[in-house]
Amino acid sequence: MAKIVVINGTPSMVSRINSVIEYAEANLRDNGFEVDRINVVELPAEDLIHTKFESEHIVKANGLVAEADGVIVVSPVYKASYTGVLKTFLDLVPQKGLAGKIVLPLFMGGSLAHLLSIDYALKPVLSVLGARYILGGVYAVDSQAVRNDLGEVELADELKLRLTEALQELTEEIKHRALR
């Protein structure tokens, strides 16, 4: 069974972007993939800040990345870039830790003004980590993930469609590689 790991770079476990992650994980599991998630905010802050490569938590997280066929990198956009907590984790991924992986970025921001944050902020870092096949990704705006009266987040149909298409591309590429 092919494996996908989600690297969740949001600093809040109640963020609306978590609904995007849950949608993606359900889609992937329904299509027969094993899915693991790294919630970077739950890793020990000291390990992240002091770049403790040998920390059992960091070793375990990097093990999930190493075992994965595909990697989904998720972040809200702050100050025209991904979060600092995500950067601290990416700094701990081995130099070629994303080599041979298919990577799908999923970002959410307040407006379309930061649409290119995936291309200009994230993709160069992923390339340095050895990623050679980085999908276009999905950039969502906050208004596409709205809390209803029950406090549940509802994703806009247009966002669901774009997520489904991106996830289909990810799964097809992983399956194609498996046939080689």
Side-chain angles (χ1 to χ4, degrees), residues 48 50 133 174:
L48 294 167
H50 295 288
Y133 198 86
I174 290 171

Side-chain angles (χ1 to χ4, degrees), residues 90-165:
L90 292 176
D91 286 346
L92 289 162
V93 172
Q95 185 66 32
K96 295 297 178 188
L98 296 180
K101 314 289 182 203
I102 299 173
V103 182
L104 173 64
L106 300 178
F107 275 26
M108 182 178 283
S111 73
L112 287 176
H114 302 294
L115 176 66
L116 295 176
S117 59
I118 292 173
D119 292 328
Y120 292 114
L122 183 67
K123 285 185 178 181
V125 174
L126 298 177
S127 293
V128 167
L129 294 174
R132 295 296 170 257
Y133 198 86
I134 306 167
L135 301 177
V138 175
Y139 180 90
V141 292
D142 291 344
S143 62
Q144 293 176 313
V146 179
R147 290 195 191 278
N148 63 24
D149 294 337
L150 300 173
E152 300 164 336
V153 177
E154 294 180 4
L155 301 180
D157 289 341
E158 187 269 339
L159 175 56
K160 288 180 185 178
L161 177 63
R162 291 190 302 121
L163 286 168
T164 300
E165 289 172 351

Side-chain angles (χ1 to χ4, degrees), residues 64-102:
L64 292 174
V65 173
E67 294 170 0
D69 301 292
V71 178
I72 298 176
V73 180
V74 182
S75 181
V77 175
Y78 296 156
K79 311 288 189 212
S81 187
Y82 53 90
T83 63
V85 72
L86 177 59
K87 178 65 165 100
T88 60
F89 178 70
L90 292 176
D91 286 346
L92 289 162
V93 172
Q95 185 66 32
K96 295 297 178 188
L98 296 180
K101 314 289 182 203
I102 299 173

